[in-house]
Amino acid sequence: MLAIVLSAAFLFAKLAQRVRQPAVVGEIVAGVVLGPSALGLLPGDLVDLLFPPEVRPVLQALSQLGLVLFMFGVGYQFDTAHLRGHGRRITAVSLSSVALPFALGAGLAVALASWFEQSQTKSGGLLVPALFLGAAMSITAFPVLARIISERGLNKDRTGAVALACAAIQDFLAWIILAVVVALASSTGFWPLARMAIVTAALVAVLIWPVRPALVWLLSPDRPWSGSLVTHAVLVVGTLLCAWATEAIGLHAVFGAFTFGVLVPRREVDASAPEVPERVEQTSLLLLPVFFVVTGLSVDLGGLGWEGALVLLAVLVVACAGKFIGAAGAARLTGASWEESGVLGVLMNARGLTELVILNVGLSLGVISDQVFTAMVIMAIVTTLMTGPLLDRFHKPVRPPAGRLDWAMPDRAPENV
């Protein structure tokens, strides 16, 4: 079973790279192909044969492990220095390309409320679905974006630097919004929500003050036990414990893994065992195809129907219009050229893997129906696929540099799946 998943992921990743797309796009498509949308159309009930119901909990556990390790890597490479000291354009583009998609996404949830399959959702009313859809529309895939910018040679260009800073700020704001949505969806009244907020704040405070200084001391290269083995154990165990803690609080495990990654002292890790974060990343890359398959098993294009097709069209229009107009319009109003504004609008529209993470959170909470989930997954794939071709129209490609961005984690290394 795992051999089939990894083989399909490798094959589709290579095909994606041949058409100048990030490898992760191919892996996402492989997950959809192995689900009911493609494999399920063949005779013989191949989906249940390859992924029988009794083994799906194992797949789910492996996918969550890969997701948690991936989110640690995202947090570890998330440089908070890029959130400080930025100019008017970065602030305007960041806020505008979050606010407009959020408003349009929330409005879309209200407009399509009568089309949602309410029997599939657990949240009462429209508040939580509207907030969730707004947050999902606001996401820009920071790791995918960093990869695209590096491959296109934009990392030494002002536009590329602005785009990365904006994406960092946007994802920071979107994760905050998502945390609020998860808290609202998981609570049954004011006090449970307030208690969740208090416990979360206490957890973050513990991580910032007692835990981070302890990590600095423990991982210091001058300790007699310093080295790869101890560092690897500390990072993985810390990630899993923080993921468990946020899951126990009522938030999703990704929040704990991401927060721990942000707070890990990189200076000490780089001095004592710089290869360890790369090993954790490679482990997550090995397991993420399982996450894509688990996601693909919930995507059924054949089950959309005509109403679902209209929902998909509305989702695509709102997603693209919100991000492109929000980013490009704000950039143009702050003095950017038409070309730079267009490039920023195109780059901010890439969703990629980050969108799938958020959508799986919403589906597991019962905030969105299977129909809306399928439409949003297709939107994430389409907006990522269209980034490269649109960049060719708005920006003349340049020769990519020999190195890569040292502060942004690429979504995939070319030689790895």
Side-chain angles (χ1 to χ4, degrees):
M1 182 176 59
L2 284 178
I4 294 174
V5 171
L6 296 179
S7 298
F10 178 81
L11 175 62
F12 279 86
K14 290 300 181 183
L15 291 175
Q17 289 177 336
R18 285 186 177 273
V19 294
R20 300 186 66 196
Q21 293 289 347
V24 66
V25 174
E27 294 185 2
I28 294 172
V29 173
V32 175
V33 168
L34 290 176
S37 297
L39 193 62
L41 300 179
L42 300 177
D45 199 10
L46 295 178
V47 175
D48 285 340
L49 181 65
L50 292 177
F51 310 107
E54 59 269 19
V55 303
R56 293 190 183 185
V58 178
L59 285 178
Q60 180 69 26
L62 289 175
S63 72
Q64 289 302 304
L65 177 59
L67 179 60
V68 164
L69 294 178
F70 171 79
M71 290 307 298
F72 162 80
V74 174
Y76 184 79
Q77 299 293 342
F78 187 86
D79 193 345
T80 55
H82 291 277
L83 304 180
R84 300 189 298 268
H86 289 294
R88 186 166 57 102
R89 180 172 305 166
I90 292 177
T91 302
V93 171
S94 300
L95 297 180
S96 178
S97 53
V98 167
L100 183 58
F102 181 87
L104 292 177
L108 181 65
V110 175
L112 300 179
S114 60
W115 289 14
F116 290 174
E117 298 180 36
Q118 298 294 335
S119 61
Q120 294 184 10
T121 59
K122 301 175 185 176
S123 59
L126 275 175
L127 176 61
V128 174
L131 291 176
F132 176 82
L133 206 58
M137 291 292 185
S138 303
I139 278 292
T140 294
F142 183 78
V144 172
L145 186 65
R147 179 68 184 179
I148 293 173
I149 287 176
S150 179
E151 290 179 347
R152 294 280 173 151
L154 288 169
N155 53 314
K156 294 184 178 180
D157 187 273
R158 180 181 64 178
T159 306
V162 170
L164 284 171
C166 290
I169 296 173
Q170 286 176 37
D171 278 9
F172 178 75
L173 295 174
W175 282 111
I176 291 177
I177 297 171
L178 183 62
V180 173
V181 173
V182 172
L184 288 172
S186 304
S187 64
T188 56
F190 173 76
W191 170 240
L193 180 62
R195 180 175 57 189
M196 187 182 299
I198 293 171
V199 175
T200 302
L203 175 63
V204 172
V206 168
L207 290 175
I208 291 175
W209 284 292
V211 173
R212 178 175 166 79
L215 289 174
V216 171
W217 178 83
L218 182 63
L219 299 176
S220 177
D222 57 359
R223 302 299 172 201
W225 55 77
S226 66
S228 298
L229 184 62
V230 172
T231 302
H232 202 156
V234 169
L235 296 188
V236 173
V237 171
T239 299
L240 296 178
L241 286 176
C242 288
W244 170 82
T246 52
E247 188 78 29
I249 291 172
L251 297 174
H252 199 274
V254 296
F255 294 107
F258 176 80
T259 304
F260 183 75
V262 171
L263 295 176
V264 164
R266 285 189 290 176
R267 181 181 303 175
E268 282 71 19
V269 173
D270 291 342
S272 60
E275 72 283 358
V276 169
E278 182 71 17
R279 291 179 186 172
V280 176
E281 178 187 343
Q282 292 301 320
T283 304
S284 73
L285 299 187
L286 180 66
L287 294 175
L288 274 178
V290 182
F291 171 75
F292 297 139
V293 169
V294 171
T295 301
L297 291 174
S298 301
V299 175
D300 186 4
L301 296 178
L304 280 176
W306 285 108
E307 286 191 354
L310 292 176
V311 171
L312 174 59
L313 179 61
V315 165
L316 285 171
V317 170
V318 167
C320 296
K323 275 294 183 181
F324 187 85
I325 296 174
R332 184 62 182 159
L333 290 175
T334 54
S337 66
W338 285 108
E339 177 184 340
E340 184 177 2
S341 300
V343 170
L344 283 173
V346 170
L347 290 174
M348 293 298 101
N349 194 40
R351 262 70 174 201
L353 174 57
T354 312
E355 184 73 40
L356 296 188
V357 174
I358 287 184
L359 293 178
N360 275 274
V361 173
L363 186 65
S364 66
L365 291 172
V367 174
I368 55 176
S369 65
D370 291 341
Q371 188 182 59
V372 177
F373 176 81
T374 297
M376 293 291 288
V377 169
I378 299 306
M379 179 273 291
I381 297 174
V382 171
T383 54
T384 307
L385 283 171
M386 66 194 303
T387 302
L390 287 177
L391 275 180
D392 290 338
R393 296 185 61 88
F394 283 96
H395 187 272
K396 184 178 180 181
V398 296
R399 187 181 184 88
R404 72 178 191 184
L405 295 176
D406 58 354
W407 58 271
M409 184 181 71
D411 202 79
R412 286 291 186 277
E415 69 276 11
N416 294 306
V417 176

